Every structure is written in structure tokens, then in C-alpha cells.
Amino acid sequence: MKLIIVEICFFLQIPLTWYLFKKFAKRNVLGQLMAGTMLGAFNEFATQPLWNYHLKINIYKDTPLCIVLGWGVMFTVVTFISEKLYCFFLKKEKIEDGDKRIFIFDVFAGSLFSFPMETILLKLGVWDYRYDLLNWNWGEIPFFKMPLEALFGYCLFMLIGPSFVRYWGKYFNGDSK
């Protein structure tokens, strides 16, 4: 029963994210949601054998549709947090074109938001890691009780994900100027 509620919440997070950004941040994030979902589809297809999911509405083997869509939400939120941190710490109005320091903020924001979400959902039983295939042995992060490789994987993914979402999101929105 708990996982059915989680799955419903996953589906509700997409329109809720769009609405909250539109209302409070005055930002249309539909394009970012789409671009992030594209990355999620790639990631879930490429890594499908490495986890066992336990949700109902699946699109490929045991890969749930709501997880693929959830990547869009995650990348949209991480991109927003990263940009806010960049502007706050560097005292800028917006990201300067070509400023590679945004990567540091992308990795930090991704670790700050995504890794705890990964931990919570793993602990809720949404999926299980296939440790027999992953062969993760770097150790465990205290408090989270999570493999260090999971955090490292998020850091690597955040080096490309938010940039992709930031760039392509505007084209999906028709804001290519």
C-alpha cells in the first residue's frame, strides 16, 4: 500500500512542480521537465539491470514511468537550486555565459538535493540496488548508510545533467533567444 501512495505522489509531482515554479518563481519549467525526462529515460534504459523496482506502471521491464518522469523534476529542481546558489555566492544577477564555475554549483546542488532523495526512496523500498552486479565496495557514507559510489555517481551525472536541462529546456519552451 505504501508504494502505491509513493507512485501516485510521483505522478502528481510533475504538474505540481510546473505549477509551483509558474506561481512562485514566475518561471515556465515545462521545457526543463522535458529535457530532464529525456536524461532520465536514457539513464533508466542504460542502467536497467542494476536495480530492481517495485512499482506498478512500468514502461521497460521493471522500470516505472514515474521514475523516468521524476528525473525531469529532479533536474529541474537541481538546476534551479544551482542557479540560485551561483547567483548568491558569486553576487551575480544570472549565470554568465561560459562561466565554468556553474559546474561546481551543479554538483553541489545535485548532491544536496538528489542524493538525499535517492536515500529516502531506497529506504522506502521503491527499488533495491543489485549489489551482485554493482560490485560497490568503496564504503558507506555515515548517517545516510549509503554506498559512496551512489554519491559519486550523482556528482558525475550533475556535471552534464543540469547543463543539458538548462540549454535544451529553453528550446523546448520556445525561448531560444
Side-chain angles (χ1 to χ4, degrees):
M1 182 63 167
K2 163 182 71 173
L3 291 180
I4 291 171
I5 294 168
V6 169
E7 193 162 8
I8 290 168
C9 289
F10 266 132
F11 281 112
L12 291 175
Q13 74 179 342
I14 294 121
L16 184 63
T17 300
W18 175 83
Y19 174 77
L20 291 174
F21 270 96
K22 190 83 165 164
K23 176 129 176 105
F24 296 108
K26 307 293 186 241
R27 192 171 183 171
N28 181 10
V29 294
L30 186 58
Q32 290 182 317
L33 288 165
M34 291 170 61
T37 298
M38 290 170 53
L39 284 174
F42 168 78
N43 184 59
E44 293 301 328
F45 180 80
T47 63
Q48 188 279 326
L50 302 176
W51 358 93
N52 290 324
Y53 284 103
H54 306 294
L55 299 177
K56 299 288 182 209
I57 302 173
N58 300 323
I59 56 170
Y60 175 70
K61 298 188 180 184
D62 73 338
T63 303
L65 174 60
C66 64
I67 295 293
V68 172
L69 296 170
W71 281 100
V73 171
M74 187 209 62
F75 277 118
T76 298
V77 172
V78 166
T79 301
F80 180 76
I81 293 170
S82 174
E83 291 170 4
K84 293 299 178 189
L85 292 172
Y86 173 96
C87 291
F88 176 79
F89 284 108
L90 300 179
K91 308 286 188 250
K92 306 278 185 188
E93 289 291 318
K94 63 179 187 143
I95 300 171
E96 292 179 359
D97 287 342
D99 189 349
K100 289 152 195 68
R101 295 177 291 182
I102 190 63
F103 290 120
I104 296 165
F105 294 98
D106 288 346
V107 169
F108 182 69
S111 300
L112 187 71
F113 180 77
S114 304
F115 185 70
M117 294 305 296
E118 173 90 7
T119 303
I120 290 166
L121 296 172
L122 181 73
K123 305 293 185 200
L124 280 174
V126 173
W127 61 77
D128 298 314
Y129 291 148
R130 291 284 315 272
Y131 286 105
D132 58 318
L133 297 176
L134 291 166
N135 196 26
W136 284 348
N137 57 12
W138 286 358
E140 187 176 85
I141 299 170
F143 179 73
F144 287 102
K145 303 266 189 248
M146 289 285 286
L148 189 56
E149 289 93 337
L151 177 59
F152 186 69
Y154 268 105
C155 290
L156 290 174
F157 209 11
M158 294 307 140
L159 288 172
I160 58 164
S163 293
F164 180 88
V165 168
R166 202 174 282 116
Y167 181 80
W168 285 104
K170 63 186 173 196
Y171 288 98
F172 286 123
N173 278 345
D175 305 332
S176 59
K177 298 172 190 154

